[in-house]
Amino acid sequence: MTTTRPPEDPGGRWTDRLLAEGSDPDPRFSLANERTFLAWIRTALALIAGGIGLALAGDLVQPALRNGLAVGFAATGALVAAFAFRRWLRTERALRRAETLPPPALAPIMAYGLATAAIVLLVALLATR
């Protein structure tokens, strides 16, 4: 592992500030962190696509519930994308500082939120049949 030199302007780009901290971790850990980030981004895209699909579902679900769920899925996708970067950055900092990795705070929220949304959608579908 090598220690990087601090940038000339510590208030510069976020990448310069990140690289100025600690030392370079094993590349395998940084690449694994990047793969996790990309998995969260794929999840965000799937949520946004699910919102679009619900919005276009026609008479499958009542309009008010359909629109509410569509907005909820799309907004959740946007939040997941934002939190994915935050998690990547916090994990990369911890790796560079040789600190304990931050817990995945978004995972239980996503799991319980998606389970709740799926149950609401299932009840709505069964109620209309």
Side-chain angles (χ1 to χ4, degrees):
M1 289 191 211
T2 61
T3 304
T4 57
R5 62 182 175 83
E8 290 84 30
D9 178 17
R13 298 180 340 175
W14 67 269
T15 53
D16 294 335
R17 291 191 307 269
L18 174 66
L19 295 175
E21 298 182 41
S23 60
D24 292 334
D26 185 329
R28 293 174 293 178
F29 299 130
S30 288
L31 293 172
N33 187 28
E34 185 176 337
R35 285 189 300 273
T36 302
F37 167 75
L38 293 173
W40 280 109
I41 292 298
R42 282 191 304 271
T43 301
L45 287 170
L47 286 166
I48 294 166
I52 292 169
L54 273 169
L56 300 174
D59 294 331
L60 193 60
V61 181
Q62 293 178 350
L65 180 61
R66 181 181 68 228
N67 292 336
L69 283 172
V71 167
F73 270 83
T76 302
L79 285 174
V80 168
F83 281 118
F85 178 75
R86 181 176 174 261
R87 174 166 168 72
W88 173 85
L89 188 60
R90 290 179 63 211
T91 302
E92 195 64 26
R93 274 195 185 119
L95 287 170
R96 294 188 67 78
R97 295 175 181 167
E99 297 174 347
T100 302
L101 298 179
L106 191 58
I109 295 168
M110 286 288 300
Y112 291 126
L114 284 175
T116 302
I119 290 170
V120 168
L121 184 58
L122 180 64
V123 167
L125 288 172
L126 291 175
T128 59
R129 301 288 169 224

